[in-house]
């Protein structure tokens, strides 16, 4: 029975263009399945081949088929085994005529000199074939003349005047042309299949895969070689070429019989149309295909049919028999609000159902409804894999909602992360891994190149043209595809969190990008419904640390009684930064809320993140192996290097100019070593982590030379290099020197991590002192020395590390505080709060602390998902009121300490969070001056080394020894300066300097 929710569709318009689209879609959907299965089989074969580690090196690989031949991997040629007989000539033979050569029935040729030397290098021994010794072999030069190459004497002479001894005539089969460069495993495997080559059984680590090798390679690839190509280390079936051939009437025996060949007839149109509808979200976002009952059940139905145009003419439609069911997407709109924590490393999505249960949504992992998802399915990597930008944008811009984009054009999250971890350095720029960092980088230009070679240069996020390719919008679109589909229903209300340090303009631009992307994931029938779309919104929520604080306070049962107050501090240790937050929770005075959270302090350490710690480890290891990296293959002069990038805190070392690069190879090398040592950071007690530290070496499965050549299984030592290479800064260098001290000659990775984390925790307590001092007396905020208890919440995935708790306990001493802590906070033993350190949510330690924990639903919040849970509690209509005490209201505070150098120490002139537009006298205007700035809270003590700060040398607009440089902050990252003799003169016009001059800090 038809109603406002569903209706039957009995015919579809099929003008020629639409008919072709349906036909093409039906063909491509079936081909997609077959291609996926074939490529999966190819990956299994590649994994089973042990020989993969020898590609590109001087390795001979014996073949079972054809027998008695060897594959020379460094030149992509076949040569005979040493037990075979070969022809020969003498070096003095003057009438030698070149012969037609062959090898096991394959056409062969003489080698070039390079090939002869590569396959049979100088060895000071005889060259032996079939137990016969030869002085060497002959080769054909570029002038087509024959030369004798002596492997024993290492001589090169034209035939006829060479040594009178015998030289072998060795046939070479050129599989990839003469003088081929080494090929990677995918390129080599394609050649083997093209020529029906089968390596010996011993080269397979899984012999059961040999039949699969033959089935795919000989029955498919060898038969249809034009359909396959190597994309990095992957072998890809060209779906477009295959689909076009099928449409032209060509048959392929590996395709099932139900794949339509040639033009689609009207008769099977219903099947093709239904197939397209059922697989629409599989093609778009790799979701599981819908079951056929979606179209035949009158209580279900398909969204994309609801606004389908009615056929206008008899010859322009196809009858659908009993028909299919359309569904009004408005009927599937949830009243719930969705919270999105857009993170540096991963993104979390949580919604609240009608029973007030908060539930995370799993997005971006492909077939995510299949059982047994790997890892934490609710933490979705913030990453895009750009495969075909033009194809994606053409489809994306062609339709207002649910466009026909393809997962194979741009992939996101888990699938993209997996591809990056196992990818080729040549495709490194096709992965956008720092979406969130790009949004806030003032000079944040990014160079991207998709896997088809299209180059995209992105300007800084705030300067991106509204019509340009926007990766943040694309990421939001994919989040929307996973939230808004015919499995999950539709969500219209969204709320986003941001770090407290984000500028208002950046927050708004991110919000608009999410708004556009999420809207794009909605059905067109819903977009056209003005009444329903009035509920669509993407709002800015409370800051990330404040959101987590709400979740933690509720989870640990710390909601205050009437008239009481619960003071807290959050150490939010994420992937990119560590954010500090300070506040108090009281019962709300407003009837609509339960509690009021007053957030009065924010600070942070922008280079202390989990991923940045891994960069620190990787940089330290690379640096200590600089000699090996300069010549990894032992070739001497002119050798290609293994390059890498700086850590988050750039520190030069002697020789760094030769090894530090901003190339895709250097970035991929950094990524690969970070993955190799991740176990040391995330699982320090594991056997693998202990093995790395005890053996003082780490093996990286794959690194790249500066020209992109892969080098496999590179062993790097943790033994320190000579002292001349050491960095000497008080920052990174101080940490490295501390890590070296424990073991005189070994880089102690654990000590390096401990020292950097300890520095961050020290800054956390410095910032706590400042936050309470600045907020004292406002909104009833008590001084720190008058508080009974202060709760410290560890947040963010990186805070799970036992090294973090260890660093805090060294100051807290079970809650009573050490003398070192009291010195940091300016407290005395008789007037200090009791400090309660709470473990990250989601850990066993946290569960043990939860006496009266709030039950959120089937899935409890964790150190990462807690932000999204808190966003829902603080949303409009939620239970918690949030008040921000910022110096300039809604404006983001100034983010730096600005100062001068005094006897090697940082002397603060302008403090972080200082009011905007207030002038500060800095230095005389008589000459060039140095301006130092940092975001480290330690700077406020005036005792920190100057090396914690960056230096900016400024040439004044004019020089006047009797006047002064005056500075004022005008936004979170910008200063202005004027020259004046006193503060009163600042307001007077100056012909030599009409306007203040800006200094942007980064």
């Amino acid at each position: 029975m038809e109603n406002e929710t569903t209706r039957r569709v009995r015919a579809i318009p099929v003008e020629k263009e639409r008919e072709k689209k349906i036909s093409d879609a039906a063909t491509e959907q079936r081909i997609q399945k077959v291609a996926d299965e074939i490529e999966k089989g190819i990956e299994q074969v590649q994994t089973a081949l042990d020989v993969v580690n020898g590609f590109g090196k001087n390795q001979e690989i014996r073949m079972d088929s054809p027998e008695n031949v060897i594959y020379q991997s460094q030149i992509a040629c076949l040569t005979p085994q040493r037990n075979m007989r070969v022809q020969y000539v003498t070096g003095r033979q003057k009438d030698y005529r070149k012969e037609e050569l062959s090898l096991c029935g394959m056409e062969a040729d003489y080698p070039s000199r390079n090939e002869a030397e590569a396959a049979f290098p100088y060895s000071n021994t005889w060259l032996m074939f079939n137990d016969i010794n030869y002085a060497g072999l002959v080769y054909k030069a570029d002038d087509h003349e024959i030369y004798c190459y002596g492997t024993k004497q290492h001589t090169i002479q034209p035939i006829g005047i060479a040594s009178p001894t015998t030289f072998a005539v060795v046939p070479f089969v050129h599989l990839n042309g003469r003088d081929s460069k080494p090929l990677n495993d995918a390129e080599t495997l394609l050649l083997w299949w093209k020529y029906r080559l089968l390596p010996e059984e011993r080269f397979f680590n899984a012999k059961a895969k040999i039949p699969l090798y033959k089935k795919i390679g000989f029955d498919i690839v060898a038969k249809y070689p034009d359909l396959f190509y190597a994309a990095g280390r992957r072998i890809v079936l060209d779906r477009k070429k295959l689909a076009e051939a099928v449409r032209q009437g060509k048959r392929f025996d590996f395709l099932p019989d139900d794949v339509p060949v040639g033009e689609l007839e009207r008769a099977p149109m219903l099947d093709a149309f239904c197939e397209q509808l059922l697989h629409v979200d599989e093609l778009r976002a790799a979701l599981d295909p819908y079951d056929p009952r979606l179209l035949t059940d009158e209580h279900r139905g398909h969204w994309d049919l609801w606004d389908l145009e009615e056929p206008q003419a008899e010859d322009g439609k196809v009858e659908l028999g009993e028909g299919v069911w359309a569904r009004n997407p408005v009927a599937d709109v949830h009243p719930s609000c969705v919270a999105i924590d857009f993170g540096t490393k991963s993104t979390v999505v949580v919604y609240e159902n009608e029973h007030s249960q908060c539930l995370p949504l799993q997005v971006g992992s492909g077939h995510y409804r299949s059982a047994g998802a790997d890892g934490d399915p609710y933490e979705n990597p913030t990453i895009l894999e750009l495969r075909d930008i033009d194809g994606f944008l053409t489809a994306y811009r062609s339709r207002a909602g649910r466009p026909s984009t393809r997962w194979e054009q741009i992939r996101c999250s888990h699938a993209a992360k997996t591809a990056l971890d196992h990818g080729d350095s040549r495709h490194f720029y096709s992965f956008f891994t720092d979406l969130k960092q790009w949004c806030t980088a003032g000079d944040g230009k990014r160079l991207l190149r998709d896997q088809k070679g299209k180059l995209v240069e992105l300007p800084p996020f705030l300067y991106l043209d509204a019509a340009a390719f926007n990766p943040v919008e694309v990421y939001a679109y994919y989040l929307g595809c996973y939230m808004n589909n015919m499995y999950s229903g539709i969500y219209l209300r969204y709320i986003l969190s941001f770090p407290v340090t984000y500028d208002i303009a950046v927050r708004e631009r991110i919000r608009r990008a999410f708004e556009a992307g999420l809207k794009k994931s909605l059905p067109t029938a819903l977009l056209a419904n003005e009444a329903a779309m009035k509920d669509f919104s993407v709002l800015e929520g409370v800051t990330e640390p404040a959101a987590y604080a709400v979740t933690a306070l509720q989870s640990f049962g710390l909601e205050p009684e009437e008239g009481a107050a619960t003071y807290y501090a959050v150490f939010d240790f994420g992937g990119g930064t560590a954010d500090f937050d300070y506040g108090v929770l009281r019962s709300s005075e407003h009837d609509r809320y339960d509690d009021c959270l007053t957030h009065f302090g924010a600070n942070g350490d922008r280079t202390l993140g989990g991923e940045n710690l891994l960069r620190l480890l990787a940089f330290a290891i690379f640096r200590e192996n600089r000699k090996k990296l300069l010549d990894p293959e032992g070739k001497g002069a002119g050798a290609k290097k293994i390059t890498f990038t700086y850590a988050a805190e750039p520190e030069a070392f002697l020789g760094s100019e030769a090894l530090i690069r901003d190339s895709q190879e250097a970035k991929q090398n950094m990524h690969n070593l970070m993955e190799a040592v991740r176990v040391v950071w995330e699982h320090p007690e594991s056997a693998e982590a202990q093995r790395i530290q005890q053996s003082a070496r780490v093996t990286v499965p794959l690194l790249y030379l500066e020209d992109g050549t892969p080098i496999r299984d590179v062993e790097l030592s943790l033994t320190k290099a000579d002292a001349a290479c050491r960095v000497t800064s008080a920052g990174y260098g101080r940490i490295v020197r501390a890590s070296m001290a424990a073991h005189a000659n070994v880089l102690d990775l654990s000590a390096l991590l401990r020292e950097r984390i300890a520095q961050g925790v020290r800054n956390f307590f410095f910032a706590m002192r400042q936050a309470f001092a600045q907020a004292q007396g406002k909104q009833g905020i008590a001084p720190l020395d008058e508080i009974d208890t202060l709760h410290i919440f560890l947040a963010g995935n990186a805070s799970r590390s036992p090294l973090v708790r260890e660093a805090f306990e060294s100051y807290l001493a079970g809650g009573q505080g050490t003398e070192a802590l009291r010195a940091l906070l300016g407290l005395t033993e008789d007037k200090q709060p009791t400090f309660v350190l709470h473990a990250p949510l989601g850990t066993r330690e946290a569960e043990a602390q939860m006496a009266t924990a709030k039950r959120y639903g089937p899935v409890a919040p964790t150190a990462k998902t807690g932000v999204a849970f808190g966003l829902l509690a603080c949303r409009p209509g939620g239970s918690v009121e949030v008040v921000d005490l910022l110096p300039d209201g809604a404006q983001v505070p100034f983010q730096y300490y600005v100062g001068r150098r005094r006897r090697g120490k940082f002397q603060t002139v302008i403090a972080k969070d200082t009011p905007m537009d207030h002038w500060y006298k800095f230095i005389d205007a008589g000459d060039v001056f140095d301006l130092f700035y940092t975001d480290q809270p330690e700077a406020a003590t005036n005792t920190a080394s100057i090396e914690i700060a960056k230096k900016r040398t400024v040439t004044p607009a004019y020089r006047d020894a009797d006047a002064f440089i005056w500075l004022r902050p005008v936004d979170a990252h910008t200063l202005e300066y004027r020259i004046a003799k006193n503060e009163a003169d600042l307001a007077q016009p100056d012909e030599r300097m009409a306007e203040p001059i800006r200094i942007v800090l980064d």
Side-chain angles (χ1 to χ4, degrees):
M1 183 178 69
E2 298 187 8
N3 51 50
E4 292 184 359
T5 301
T6 61
R7 65 165 175 257
R8 193 190 301 269
V9 176
R10 299 181 184 274
I12 57 172
V14 286
E15 64 277 9
K16 283 295 182 182
E17 185 61 28
R18 183 177 180 82
E19 183 175 1
K20 184 177 185 302
K21 288 182 179 179
I22 294 175
S23 172
D24 291 349
T27 299
E28 291 174 11
Q29 285 167 1
R30 289 177 172 87
I31 285 174
Q32 181 83 13
K33 288 184 177 180
V34 175
D36 288 344
E37 291 174 2
I38 292 174
E39 289 179 4
K40 183 178 180 180
I42 291 173
E43 289 177 3
Q44 293 175 2
V45 170
Q46 288 181 284
T47 302
L49 273 171
D50 272 343
V51 73
V52 65
N53 292 326
F55 291 163
K57 298 181 180 179
N58 295 330
Q59 179 171 344
E60 296 181 345
I61 303 168
R62 293 177 181 270
M63 293 290 155
D64 260 351
S65 177
E67 295 181 337
N68 298 320
V69 299
I70 292 175
Y71 176 75
Q72 303 284 353
S73 65
Q74 71 275 27
I75 53 175
C77 287
L78 296 178
T79 60
Q81 291 187 18
R82 299 300 182 92
N83 62 352
M84 291 186 66
R85 297 185 63 179
V86 296
Q87 300 177 45
Y88 64 90
V89 297
T90 65
R92 296 292 172 85
Q93 187 171 337
K94 296 185 179 299
D95 57 349
Y96 178 73
R97 294 183 179 180
K98 293 190 289 288
E99 303 177 26
E100 297 293 330
L101 304 182
S102 65
L103 177 62
C104 297
M106 293 179 284
E107 182 179 340
D109 196 358
Y110 295 89
S112 69
R113 175 177 174 176
N114 289 336
E115 291 168 342
E117 291 180 333
F120 304 102
Y122 165 63
S123 60
N124 200 30
T125 59
W126 296 97
L127 179 63
M128 181 178 290
F129 278 96
N130 196 29
D131 295 329
I132 299 175
N133 289 328
Y134 300 96
L137 69 155
V138 297
Y139 70 87
K140 184 168 63 176
D142 293 340
D143 59 4
H144 299 285
E145 293 300 320
I146 300 299
Y147 286 74
C148 296
Y149 158 51
T151 57
K152 180 174 173 57
Q153 301 297 331
H154 201 221
T155 56
I156 302 292
Q157 293 177 308
I159 192 169
I161 62 172
S163 170
T165 54
T166 56
F167 291 83
V169 180
V170 183
F172 277 56
V173 178
H174 295 95
L175 303 182
N176 194 47
R178 291 176 69 84
D179 291 321
S180 171
K181 292 182 179 180
L183 306 178
N184 66 22
D185 50 335
E187 295 165 333
T188 301
L189 192 53
L190 278 177
L191 276 184
W192 287 1
W193 279 338
K194 178 180 178 180
Y195 289 94
R196 297 182 177 273
L197 304 177
L198 175 66
E200 287 184 345
E201 187 178 277
R202 65 189 176 92
F203 288 110
F204 288 88
N205 58 32
K207 297 178 177 57
K209 297 299 181 184
I210 295 178
L212 182 63
Y213 176 99
K214 294 178 181 178
K215 179 181 178 182
I216 293 178
F218 298 166
D219 297 345
I220 301 177
V221 180
K223 197 169 182 179
Y224 309 104
D226 292 342
L227 292 179
F228 294 86
Y229 63 93
R233 296 183 60 209
R234 295 169 52 242
I235 294 178
V236 177
L237 194 161
D238 193 328
R239 293 159 170 78
K240 289 186 177 180
K241 185 180 288 186
L242 177 57
E244 183 59 32
V246 169
R247 284 193 289 269
Q248 292 175 2
K250 187 173 181 179
R251 296 186 179 275
F252 297 88
D253 52 18
F254 62 86
L255 292 177
D257 294 337
D258 64 348
V259 175
V261 177
E263 292 295 324
L264 194 66
E265 299 176 359
R266 292 289 180 92
M269 181 63 73
L270 174 59
D271 291 341
F273 184 62
C274 293
E275 191 79 4
Q276 178 185 354
L277 292 172
L278 296 176
H279 290 269
V280 63
D281 285 326
E282 180 185 23
L283 292 173
R284 179 181 292 118
L287 291 175
D288 295 335
Y290 299 110
D291 69 278
R293 291 281 295 167
L294 180 76
L295 300 176
T296 59
D297 188 334
E298 65 184 72
H299 298 293
R300 297 174 67 187
H302 202 290
W303 294 340
D304 294 344
L305 294 172
W306 190 255
D307 57 351
L308 187 69
E309 297 178 2
E310 292 291 330
Q312 299 298 314
E314 290 295 324
D315 59 353
K317 68 179 180 180
V318 166
E319 300 290 344
L320 299 181
E322 291 297 319
V324 293
W325 287 90
R327 184 173 182 84
N328 187 349
V330 175
D332 292 329
V333 172
H334 294 291
S336 312
C337 180
V338 173
I340 301 175
D341 176 18
F342 178 45
T344 300
K345 183 183 176 185
S346 60
T347 295
V348 173
V349 178
V350 174
Y351 75 100
E352 187 176 50
N353 66 17
E354 59 269 24
H355 301 295
S356 299
Q357 294 178 315
C358 296
L359 299 168
L361 284 172
Q362 183 179 338
V363 300
S365 58
H367 305 277
Y368 68 94
R369 288 173 181 80
S370 302
D374 294 333
D376 190 335
Y378 305 119
E379 296 181 21
N380 308 284
T382 309
I383 179 175
L384 291 175
E385 180 188 6
L386 309 173
R387 300 161 71 92
D388 179 8
I389 294 175
D390 284 339
F392 176 88
L393 289 178
T394 298
Y396 187 79
R397 293 165 176 169
S398 66
R399 185 176 168 88
R402 288 173 58 82
S404 299
T405 57
R406 299 297 179 92
W407 184 243
E408 290 304 315
Q409 294 166 336
I410 293 181
R411 299 194 295 187
C412 77
S413 203
H414 297 279
K417 178 66 165 58
T418 299
L420 172 62
D421 291 343
H422 299 90
D424 189 298
S425 77
R426 290 174 293 181
H427 289 155
F428 188 83
Y429 284 160
S430 70
F431 294 93
F432 201 173
T433 60
D434 56 349
L435 271 76
K436 193 171 182 180
Q437 297 96 319
W438 170 59
C439 293
T440 58
D443 58 347
K445 292 183 179 180
R446 293 293 188 274
L447 186 66
L448 304 173
R449 182 186 293 109
D450 71 12
Q451 294 177 16
K452 287 197 166 186
K454 179 181 176 60
L455 198 64
V456 175
E457 185 174 350
L458 293 174
F461 180 62
L462 285 178
Y463 299 100
L464 188 70
D465 187 79
F469 170 64
N470 188 333
V472 177
E473 179 181 331
V474 172
Y475 187 78
Y477 162 69
Y478 274 116
L479 291 183
C481 288
Y482 279 87
M483 288 185 280
N484 302 313
N485 55 68
M486 286 168 278
Y487 287 114
S488 305
I490 295 173
Y491 299 89
L492 293 179
R493 296 183 176 92
Y494 301 91
I495 187 165
L496 283 168
S497 66
F498 297 96
V500 70
T501 55
Y502 275 25
D503 293 339
I504 300 300
V506 172
R507 297 184 193 186
E508 176 59 17
R509 190 67 192 270
I510 294 175
R511 190 202 64 79
R512 292 205 312 266
F514 266 79
E515 183 178 68
L518 292 167
K519 184 178 289 186
K520 201 76 167 183
S521 71
L522 300 176
T524 53
L526 178 63
L527 294 173
N529 189 319
E530 293 183 8
M533 287 302 293
K534 287 182 179 179
D535 288 332
F536 178 77
S537 63
V538 179
L539 303 177
E540 177 185 339
V542 299
T543 62
E544 292 170 0
Y548 184 88
V550 168
T551 303
L553 288 161
Q554 294 178 344
S555 295
F556 289 109
L558 298 174
E559 294 100 325
E561 298 293 333
E562 190 74 30
T566 302
Y567 285 87
Y568 74 86
V570 176
F571 184 80
D572 187 358
F573 194 3
T577 63
D579 294 326
F580 314 148
D581 193 76
Y582 310 93
V584 59
L585 185 72
R586 301 186 180 94
S587 296
S588 178
E589 297 178 357
H590 296 92
D591 180 63
R592 69 181 298 148
Y593 300 108
D594 292 336
D595 297 307
C596 175
L597 184 140
T598 302
H599 157 257
F600 59 78
N603 215 309
D605 189 331
R606 62 177 179 174
T607 59
L608 178 62
E611 295 304 292
N612 284 336
L613 284 178
L614 286 172
R615 286 187 181 89
L616 180 64
L617 296 184
F619 178 79
I621 294 170
F622 273 138
R623 188 184 64 86
E624 299 303 331
N625 285 269
R626 74 201 185 284
K627 184 175 180 180
K628 180 172 185 174
L629 301 183
L630 287 169
D631 187 9
E633 297 181 301
K635 292 185 175 180
K640 299 296 183 183
K641 302 182 290 289
I642 292 177
T643 57
F644 57 102
T645 65
Y646 280 123
E649 299 173 279
E651 293 285 351
F653 58 90
L654 294 181
S656 59
E657 66 279 359
L659 291 171
I660 298 297
R661 293 288 184 273
D662 189 31
S663 67
Q664 56 188 349
E665 286 78 22
K667 293 175 182 177
Q668 184 76 60
N669 289 339
M670 199 70 168
H671 172 83
N672 290 0
L673 180 53
M674 286 167 60
E675 292 304 312
V677 297
R678 184 176 293 277
V679 66
V680 176
W681 161 234
E682 296 184 351
H683 306 285
E685 303 302 323
S686 68
E688 176 63 14
Q690 295 298 315
R691 184 198 64 77
I692 290 174
Q693 195 64 64
Q694 292 172 9
S695 66
R697 63 177 60 90
V698 59
T699 299
V700 188
L702 182 65
L703 292 176
Y704 292 91
L705 299 180
E706 55 189 328
D707 64 354
T709 301
I711 304 293
R712 302 185 185 281
D713 297 326
V714 181
E715 187 176 276
L716 300 175
S717 173
L718 302 190
T719 303
K720 67 179 182 180
D722 59 84
C725 182
R726 305 276 188 85
V727 291
T728 56
S729 78
Y732 172 74
R734 178 179 62 193
I735 294 169
V736 172
R737 287 195 294 277
S739 75
M740 291 290 190
H743 303 282
N745 294 310
V746 176
L747 182 65
D748 187 339
L749 301 182
S750 295
L752 199 158
L753 292 171
R754 282 186 172 89
E755 177 61 25
R756 183 62 185 92
I757 292 169
Q759 180 182 326
V761 172
R762 189 163 55 248
N763 279 324
F764 171 79
F765 286 116
F766 275 130
M768 179 187 293
R769 177 178 182 173
Q770 295 169 39
F772 274 90
Q774 292 173 358
Q776 183 177 327
K778 300 176 183 177
Q779 296 282 326
I781 305 299
L784 185 57
D785 60 2
E786 295 181 10
I787 295 172
D788 291 330
T789 304
L790 191 142
H791 297 271
I792 299 175
F793 299 119
L794 300 181
N797 275 339
S799 67
R800 295 172 181 264
S801 170
L803 301 181
V804 176
R805 174 172 283 277
E806 178 185 304
F808 271 95
E809 287 296 350
S810 69
Y811 283 106
L812 298 180
Q816 298 309 307
T818 62
E819 188 61 37
L821 177 61
R822 287 189 283 274
L824 288 178
L825 296 178
L827 300 174
T828 60
E829 190 171 2
D830 60 334
K831 295 190 69 176
Q832 67 170 32
T834 298
F835 297 93
V836 180
L837 181 66
H838 294 275
L841 292 174
T843 62
R844 291 182 180 179
E845 294 86 347
E847 291 174 3
Q849 290 178 299
M850 294 180 183
T852 57
K854 174 178 176 178
R855 297 301 173 190
Y856 281 88
V859 181
T862 67
K864 174 62 181 174
T865 63
V867 170
F869 279 78
L871 272 175
L872 292 176
C874 302
R875 64 177 173 81
S879 61
V880 179
E881 175 188 13
V882 177
V883 176
D884 283 319
L885 298 184
L886 297 176
D888 295 306
Q891 188 174 11
V892 176
F894 186 59
Q895 293 300 298
Y896 298 99
Y897 300 90
V898 177
R900 297 174 57 186
R901 174 171 44 202
R902 289 294 188 187
R903 300 189 182 279
K905 305 296 183 182
F906 184 93
Q907 189 77 28
T908 301
V909 176
I910 303 176
K912 189 175 182 180
D913 294 342
T914 194
M916 300 293 178
D917 299 320
H918 179 78
W919 289 104
Y920 295 85
K921 184 193 290 187
F922 188 70
I923 197 171
D924 70 83
D927 207 340
V928 172
F929 63 93
D930 288 338
L931 177 151
F932 294 86
Y933 63 99
T934 178
D935 64 351
Q936 298 295 305
E938 187 178 2
T941 65
N942 292 328
T943 60
S945 167
I946 194 63
E947 292 180 7
I948 69 167
K950 288 186 177 181
K951 180 177 72 173
R952 183 71 62 85
T953 300
V954 181
T955 301
Y958 63 90
R959 290 172 170 81
D960 185 343
D962 296 326
F964 295 92
I965 301 293
W966 295 75
L967 301 174
R968 70 176 178 184
V970 293
D971 66 34
H973 304 279
T974 307
L975 293 168
E976 287 184 346
Y977 81 86
R978 295 206 71 156
I979 298 174
K981 292 185 177 181
N982 52 57
E983 194 167 1
D985 289 347
L986 290 170
Q988 303 300 318
D990 187 336
E991 294 180 357
R992 294 172 294 179
M993 192 176 179
E995 298 291 338
I997 295 177
R998 291 203 158 201
I999 303 173
V1000 178
L1001 309 178
D1002 53 20

